[in-house]
Amino acid sequence: MSTSDSSTARLAFLKSIETNLYRIGGPLLIIFGTIGCLITLFIFKEKNLRKHPCTIYFLAFNCSNFALIYSSLLAVMLELGFNINPSAYSLVCCRLRLYTLLLFDCLSSFYLILISMDRMLVTSINATTRRRSSRTFAYKCVIIGTIFWVLFNSHALFLTERIRISATAFTCYFRPGSYVTFIAFYSLTKSILMPLCMITFGIQTIRNIRSIRRINILHTITASTNTNTFAILSSRDSKLIRTVWIHICIYVVFSLTMTSFLLYDQFTQYRIKDNVQKQADLLWRYVGTFGIYMRYCLCGYVNLLVSDTVRQRIRNCFFWKPIIIQPMSLTR
């Protein structure tokens, strides 16, 4: 086999992997992600959980994931898996697609950071710090943060174009030149800083829990104990902390592929590559993108891992068993 035939075969093989990944995996992710989002809504609609400030963050996080699935994952699946790409023919669709991708990816990460921060506040041994974890504070953070990211990512509504790739074909992408460089550094910075923020808040939460345990060991709880000097974690808070840590682990693990690709892309952006290497890099990028979608589609199932009560409720719904009316919580 000649070198030309070998290169053509490798290009076709890499392209087939890319196509089948989204043709088969895309619909599965959409189905699992939709079910996961509905499960989360089912869990946090309970009256005893709606009053919890962390629930506000989880609901915002869940809504952002749901929007990301149908505004971005669905479009990418149709384009790469089934060669259906309306954004290549409509500039409005093109700009809305990339804008929603940037927006909801930022919002989901931002809400997860807020969830991590809330757990850090709740576990603080300082009573004043603990009082900052309130519904009012949660609503303010969600509203102000959402407005900020909506405005901050608005550049994609103006600097996105339909780029001609052949005589009759177009693709939707960011404007070539300095703007593409900005998007690359922006994506790389976000993929590093946001997980670091989550991990930092998570580590501080663990430190707070250890401080609480040491204080509880040193001070026997009596009627004369000043409960404002330290916190006693409820079972529900402990479960929520575990839930947050699982979310952070999912976020970090499924972001590694895209983060490594962004680093590699920056280091090799001036290197001359042949067509096979370009296709391999493109496959790496799309696999990393698929991992990002996976982290949001799997988040809805975290509560099933943490809470026995949630699993029992879901089993009752699927098998049409009578449900005893009692408050559902994440405490068991």
Side-chain angles (χ1 to χ4, degrees):
M1 181 181 293
S2 65
T3 304
S4 177
D5 293 338
S6 176
S7 299
T8 303
R10 280 182 288 180
L11 280 172
F13 176 70
L14 293 174
K15 184 64 177 178
S16 67
I17 295 176
E18 173 190 308
T19 301
N20 291 323
L21 177 65
Y22 282 90
R23 179 175 294 176
I24 300 173
L28 291 177
L29 276 188
I30 291 176
I31 293 172
F32 280 105
T34 302
I35 295 174
C37 290
L38 294 177
I39 289 175
T40 302
L41 290 176
F42 174 77
I43 293 169
F44 288 104
K45 73 179 180 63
E46 295 292 326
K47 185 177 181 180
N48 64 319
L49 287 177
R50 288 201 304 266
K51 298 179 180 179
H52 205 287
C54 195
T55 300
I56 298 171
Y57 299 129
F58 268 116
L59 288 175
F61 176 65
N62 181 74
C63 292
S64 180
N65 290 348
F66 189 81
L68 183 70
I69 290 172
Y70 284 96
S71 66
S72 180
L73 173 57
L74 179 61
V76 174
M77 179 200 71
L78 291 175
E79 177 185 356
L80 300 180
F82 300 93
N83 199 27
I84 302 174
N85 186 16
S87 61
Y89 306 98
S90 171
L91 182 60
V92 174
C93 291
C94 172
R95 290 177 172 176
L96 285 177
R97 172 188 164 183
L98 292 182
Y99 172 70
T100 54
L101 171 61
L102 292 177
L103 174 62
F104 292 120
D105 183 40
C106 286
L107 285 179
S108 294
S109 303
F110 173 70
Y111 295 144
L112 192 53
I113 290 175
L114 291 180
I115 294 170
S116 307
M117 182 187 68
D118 180 77
R119 295 300 87 195
M120 181 192 69
L121 296 176
V122 166
T123 56
S124 174
I125 61 175
N126 187 285
T128 303
T129 302
R130 291 198 304 274
R131 282 195 291 269
R132 293 178 182 174
S133 176
S134 63
R135 295 183 66 190
T136 302
F137 182 74
Y139 279 122
K140 288 181 179 179
C141 288
V142 169
I143 293 173
I144 295 174
T146 301
I147 294 174
F148 170 79
W149 287 114
V150 166
L151 296 177
F152 182 82
N153 290 290
S154 60
H155 51 78
L157 291 173
F158 308 100
L159 299 176
T160 301
E161 297 179 351
R162 294 167 59 241
I163 301 173
R164 184 185 297 273
I165 56 177
S166 66
T168 58
F170 291 85
T171 187
C172 177
Y173 201 61
F174 303 106
R175 181 177 297 173
S178 58
Y179 185 58
V180 171
T181 305
F182 164 75
I183 290 295
F185 279 103
Y186 167 65
S187 301
L188 179 59
T189 302
K190 180 172 64 67
S191 65
I192 294 175
L193 289 184
M194 286 194 167
L196 283 179
C197 289
M198 298 174 197
I199 293 173
T200 300
F201 286 135
I203 292 174
Q204 186 59 47
T205 300
I206 293 177
R207 290 177 178 174
N208 291 344
I209 293 173
R210 290 177 177 176
S211 298
I212 291 173
R213 289 174 177 172
R214 284 197 297 266
I215 293 175
N216 289 339
I217 292 174
L218 295 175
H219 298 274
T220 303
I221 301 177
T222 62
S224 60
T225 302
N226 183 5
T227 56
N228 288 329
T229 59
F230 62 95
I232 301 176
L233 283 180
S234 66
S235 179
R236 180 183 302 169
D237 285 328
S238 298
K239 292 293 184 181
L240 285 173
I241 291 170
R242 187 184 304 175
T243 301
V244 172
W245 261 111
I246 296 176
H247 277 294
I248 293 174
C249 290
I250 290 176
Y251 187 98
V252 172
V253 169
F254 286 97
S255 298
L256 289 177
T257 303
M258 178 54 78
T259 303
S260 60
F261 168 76
L262 292 173
L263 288 170
Y264 163 81
D265 188 54
Q266 289 303 306
F267 285 124
T268 62
Q269 59 180 323
Y270 300 112
R271 182 184 301 175
I272 299 176
K273 303 176 183 179
D274 58 20
N275 291 332
V276 175
Q277 185 60 52
K278 289 179 180 179
Q279 184 61 45
D281 292 350
L282 196 61
L283 177 61
W284 187 357
R285 171 187 167 189
Y286 285 134
V287 169
T289 304
F290 192 81
I292 291 176
Y293 291 131
M294 282 188 67
R295 77 188 183 199
Y296 293 127
C297 292
L298 293 176
C299 285
Y301 299 93
V302 172
N303 292 305
L304 291 176
L305 299 175
V306 175
S307 174
D308 294 334
T309 304
V310 172
R311 289 194 293 270
Q312 184 60 45
R313 274 296 184 90
I314 298 300
R315 283 196 296 266
N316 290 340
C317 288
F318 276 107
F319 294 102
W320 298 95
K321 293 182 179 180
I323 300 176
I324 300 175
I325 300 177
Q326 58 182 0
M328 182 177 64
S329 68
L330 298 175
T331 57
R332 298 196 300 274

